[in-house]
Amino acid sequence: MAELEAHLTTRLLLRSSRRLDLTEAGQSYLLACRRILIEVEQAERAATGEYLRPKGDLVVTAPLVFGRLHVLPVITEFLKWYPDVDIRLILSDRKMHFLEDHVDVAVRIGALPDSNLIALRIAEIRPVVCASPEYLARTGCPATPEQLAEQLAEQLAAHDCIHFEMLASAAQWPFRQGKSDISVPFHARLIVKPAEAAIDAAKAGVGITRVLSYQIAAAQQAGELVTVLSAFEPDPWPVSLVHAGQGILPLKLGAFLDVATPALRARLGERDQSSELTRQDCSNLNAPERS
């Protein structure tokens, strides 16, 4: 780096004993280098015929559970239709970097920061609180976030909480009442990763948990889990297909977006409708307070 700075006769990094930061010149130089790498990649794709017909390698990334439930089935169908395209699917709850990880398209859940990336919104999902019917019959069902907060604040808490650590902080669950946001502090008796472990523990009657709506759709349909405080769920989160979008779009990427966008919208739309039909009102599950 020192040799590069000497060659450019400017400082690219601000150095201290604890960290390194890019200078303004360093930021401009980095962006220019990234543009050059993208142009080189496009030139290589053109030379290999990727702009003549869908062919070549495609890297797709998605969150772990969402990718397994929804993206993988779409990809298996896509591969049948496009035999000249090979796909590498990376399922990870870590946000992958498009350039550094060589990602072509990503599924992102949640609000997106401003960037040069192109995003196609495909659906919305909700954070939901849920538990097994047997657990709620034993402990009782909170009617409001305030009641849940009171029950959790008792010396002998009325509910045992299971926390999926990737969803939010391990200190509170957010709710929404009208235009007001409500935060309910809780103590997690079980902290797990990934979300499937929280869902399995909830189905087993260990406690009450908060996950994402698509993650429990099958368990709801099977009657293994019941949502709690549905009327107080916070605003839904967008689900988007994101790609770099610079220059000419490779045919393999365009073909994948053409297939995946309507397919995922259909899958998540069906899930939302079935979830609404199978959602139970846990207030019907009467039970005495835990002693």
Side-chain angles (χ1 to χ4, degrees):
M1 183 58 66
E3 292 179 358
L4 180 59
E5 288 179 326
H7 172 71
L8 298 173
T9 64
T10 188
R11 179 175 292 183
L12 301 177
L13 293 174
L14 295 174
R15 300 167 175 84
S16 69
S17 58
R18 294 186 177 181
R19 56 183 296 175
L20 295 174
D21 291 306
L22 287 169
T23 64
E24 185 176 352
Q27 293 175 347
S28 299
Y29 186 74
L30 177 61
L31 290 174
C33 289
R34 284 179 174 171
R35 286 195 295 269
I36 291 170
L37 289 175
I38 290 171
E39 291 177 0
V40 170
E41 184 180 7
Q42 290 177 348
E44 291 175 347
R45 287 174 169 175
T48 58
E50 284 191 20
Y51 295 105
L52 300 177
R53 69 181 187 279
K55 63 174 295 188
D57 298 328
L58 193 68
V59 179
V60 181
T61 181
L64 185 62
V65 178
F66 186 95
R68 181 178 59 83
L69 291 177
H70 297 299
V71 179
L72 183 57
V74 172
I75 286 177
T76 57
E77 289 300 312
F78 176 85
L79 292 174
K80 295 176 184 177
W81 300 334
Y82 294 95
D84 292 333
V85 179
D86 299 327
I87 291 183
R88 180 187 176 204
L89 174 61
I90 305 173
L91 298 181
S92 173
D93 290 325
R94 178 179 72 87
K95 185 173 289 187
M96 310 292 288
H97 191 279
F98 275 80
L99 187 62
E100 295 175 2
D101 297 310
H102 306 287
V103 171
D104 293 294
V105 60
V107 176
R108 296 278 165 84
I109 297 176
L112 299 173
D114 291 334
S115 69
N116 293 325
L117 301 175
I118 306 300
L120 301 170
R121 180 174 291 202
I122 56 175
E124 292 181 338
I125 58 173
R126 307 176 317 277
V128 296
V129 176
C130 61
S132 70
E134 294 77 16
Y135 172 85
L136 293 172
R138 185 173 73 247
T139 63
C141 179
T144 65
E146 292 86 354
Q147 186 180 38
L148 176 62
E150 292 173 0
Q151 292 171 343
L152 293 175
E154 294 174 359
Q155 185 173 4
L156 293 175
H159 290 287
D160 294 326
C161 294
I162 307 163
H163 181 63
F164 166 40
E165 66 177 10
M166 293 296 292
L167 184 59
S169 72
Q172 58 188 14
W173 283 338
F175 295 93
R176 190 166 183 85
Q177 189 167 17
K179 296 182 179 180
S180 301
D181 294 324
I182 304 172
S183 294
V184 175
F186 70 94
H187 167 72
R189 295 210 62 210
L190 176 62
I191 300 176
V192 298
K193 179 182 176 183
E196 292 155 302
I199 294 168
D200 288 341
K203 289 193 295 186
V206 174
I208 188 170
T209 190
R210 188 186 195 100
V211 289
L212 296 174
S213 54
Y214 74 88
Q215 296 170 332
I216 63 164
Q220 276 187 286
Q221 289 178 331
E224 298 172 310
L225 289 176
V226 178
T227 54
V228 177
L229 301 174
S230 302
F232 303 94
E233 291 168 357
D235 293 336
W237 297 356
V239 181
S240 306
L241 280 173
V242 181
H243 62 92
Q246 288 97 345
I248 303 172
L249 203 65
L251 290 183
K252 62 180 181 181
L253 177 55
F256 181 79
L257 295 173
D258 288 343
V259 171
T261 301
L264 289 173
R265 282 174 176 165
R267 290 182 64 87
L268 293 173
E270 291 169 2
R271 289 286 183 179
D272 286 345
Q273 293 172 11
S274 62
S275 176
E276 292 296 333
L277 291 173
T278 58
R279 184 178 299 182
Q280 301 180 45
D281 182 0
C282 69
S283 62
N284 296 326
L285 300 171
N286 297 317
E289 295 292 331
R290 179 185 292 182
S291 60

